Amino acid sequence: MGILSRMIPTEDASARKREIEEKLKQEQETLSFIRENLEKSDQLTKGMVSILSSFESRLMQLENSIIPVHKQTENLQRLQDNVDKTLSCMDHVISYYHVAKDTDRIIREGPTGRLDEYLACIAKIQKAVEYFQDNNPDSPELNTVKARFEKGKELLEAEFRNLLTRYSKPVPPILILDAISVDEELEVQEEVVLEHLPEAVLQDIICIAGWLVEYGRNQDFMNVYFQIRSNQLDRSIKGLKEHFRKSSASSGVPYSPAVQTKRKDTPTKKVPKRPGTIRKAQNLLKQYSQHGLDGKKGGSNLTPLEGYDHDLRVKLMTDALTEKHGGAAGKDDVLDIEIDSYIHCISAFVKLAQSEYALLLEIIPEHHQKKTFDSLIQEALDNLMLEGDNIVSAARRAIMRHDYSAVLTIFPILRHLKMNKSEFDSTLQGTAASTKNKLPTLITSMETIGAKALEEFADSIKNDPDKEYNMPKDGTVHELTSNAILFLQQLLDFQETAGAMLASQESSSSASSYTSEFNKRLLSTYICKVLGNLQLNLLSKSKVYEDAALSAIFLHNNYNYILKSLEKSELIQLVTVTQKRAESLYRELIEQQIISYKSSWFKVTEHLSEKNMPVFQPGTKLKDKERQIIKDKFKGFNDGLEELCKTQKGWAIPDKEQRDFIRRSQKTVVSEAYRAFLQRCANISFTKNPEKYHKYHPEHVEEMIEKLFDTSA
């Protein structure tokens, strides 16, 4: 075991030694390989260095040869560029000397039909002017191109004028009516666009205007613009007025676009209420109240008054006027046309002015737009205001003649002006104060003359003279009453306008309190004043009649007419704003007059009373004095009945209901008294000829009373 243990380490050391020797041998081989490669690398490096050295030497030789050539070439190129630039500048300068000649033909022929080419030529001329001014201000060429430039500018101005003149046409009346009309059936209105100029022409005009502002240093074209467009605006409005006249002459009624149909090529208009038509009826009412429809002065056959049907009255009177004139428009028709025309011309002016401003914005520089627009609308606006002043003057002259119905012509115009004032003011925004104040001034004038007419009308109702020949012989409605009611009824369509008229005359301290309700109370107070004046005047007129019964019938008819007129219209609502008991007060007045009328029968029925009637016993013979008393009673009754029936048959009570009521009431009173009287005298022998005194049976008496107030009986 000891030997074996010593041998094992010796073998391990030997193996270890052999292993180390093998590794050493391998390392030596690797080292030898590396040395060989290093030697080869050194050889390659020496070869590359030699090549690079040779290449560097050759590059230096090449550089020494090329650089002088490159510098020489660069100098030559620079010289060439300078020569080219010089030649180009020479050509450019020389071209300025030929601009006048090159552009001569185009400038002479003008810009018509080739605006772009023409403006290009003008640009060349302008550059030439700038060149000579900067480089050779004393050269004759400068004067030449300046003259050519001015000529070109003149022709552009002329083209601007020619295009505007040639293509600016008045807007057709039908198109204007389409633009200002309102179709009540459409929730969303289709706006009508007014195209004043063809699009291509408009673009040329905008181009020329822009050039004249930027390069032409010229504002004269703005004067040309507003003069031409102002003329077209005025002609458009005048054309609309002429269209109204022609349409009215051919159809007999003014052409009024109150409602448009959906077809724009053939619009149909409805005719609005016109005060002139009512005024014609009013004038006819005056005539017929005096002469009656049968031509008899004071006649009672005034058919339109039957039942106080105002619509029927107006229709019958208007129809009668149409027949009288053979369907042709009379003086009032012409006035109606003028009123309708003026109202629509106001709307047309606003719409056309708005359209003109939209067009102007595209053509005129911003800082000149308001002033140019102000000048553009002056002629048309002045003509409209002058026409409005003429209407006011005509109304003033009519009022001086005591024709207060003339104020009715102002109401629709004034209402239209006030309704459109806000849009009018918006359209004129930015114009001069004198321009913006024209419409308010006209409105103030109309309100002043209107208020004056209303007040003078109320005074005229109070002061209308009591002329015997002017009183209706049959006691029917006086023309003063019918005219006053007709006048007041016309105020219903213009309540706000009439109230504002009256309010305009109030003191300035209360001006801030002017409201719709305030105006309504003023109008109510005014209507009550007119009715009060009318009542006082009627009472005074009734005294012209010698017969108190006819006076009572006259007052009854007039009071009843007033009451029925108030009830059949909204006048009663207006009156009750300040006079709550108006209706009951008129009923009391009517009842008072019926009682007064019935008293006229006392002289007939008093003969039927028991007063002075002899007391007798059946079978007792009457004394002569007693027989004479009965005879006198019969004779007094017969004579009184005949006289009253003969007289009162010619009187009139137009209201059938009232007429029947009075007849029926009177028949009852007289018939009952007469029957009682006959019954008392039935068994009395007071005469040998009883038929001489007992002329009428009770039924006959009733028939006679039934024929009262009936001229045809």
Side-chain angles (χ1 to χ4, degrees), residues 566-582:
L566 295 178
E567 290 176 336
K568 286 189 175 183
S569 66
E570 295 179 11
L571 279 174
I572 191 65
Q573 283 83 2
L574 266 179
V575 170
T576 53
V577 170
T578 53
Q579 179 54 267
K580 303 298 183 183
R581 294 189 63 248

Side-chain angles (χ1 to χ4, degrees), residues 605-633:
T605 57
E606 68 178 353
H607 295 290
L608 306 177
S609 67
E610 294 185 1
K611 183 180 180 181
N612 298 327
M613 192 72 174
V615 179
F616 57 89
Q617 296 294 327
T620 304
K621 187 178 180 180
L622 296 177
K623 298 178 182 180
D624 292 342
K625 183 178 180 181
E626 292 174 337
R627 287 196 298 269
Q628 189 60 43
I629 289 175
I630 295 175
K631 289 178 182 179
D632 289 343
K633 281 183 174 291

Side-chain angles (χ1 to χ4, degrees), residues 22 43 84 135 187 213 224 230 408 424 534 565 600 646 652 713:
E22 288 177 0
Q43 292 176 358
D84 291 341
N135 298 282
E187 294 183 1
V213 170
V224 172
S230 174
L408 297 177
F424 206 101
L534 178 60
S565 299
S600 68
K646 181 180 179 181

Side-chain angles (χ1 to χ4, degrees), residues 454-455 457-462 480-481 483-485 487-488 491 523-537 562 586:
L454 291 177
E455 291 301 325
F457 175 77
D459 293 339
S460 72
I461 295 298
K462 180 179 180 180
L480 180 67
T481 303
N483 289 345
I485 294 300
F487 185 89
L488 293 179
L491 300 184
L523 183 58
S524 175
T525 302
Y526 171 78
I527 292 175
C528 290
K529 177 182 178 181
V530 172
L531 293 176
N533 290 349
L534 178 60
Q535 182 179 341
L536 291 174
N537 196 296
I562 293 171
Y586 273 109

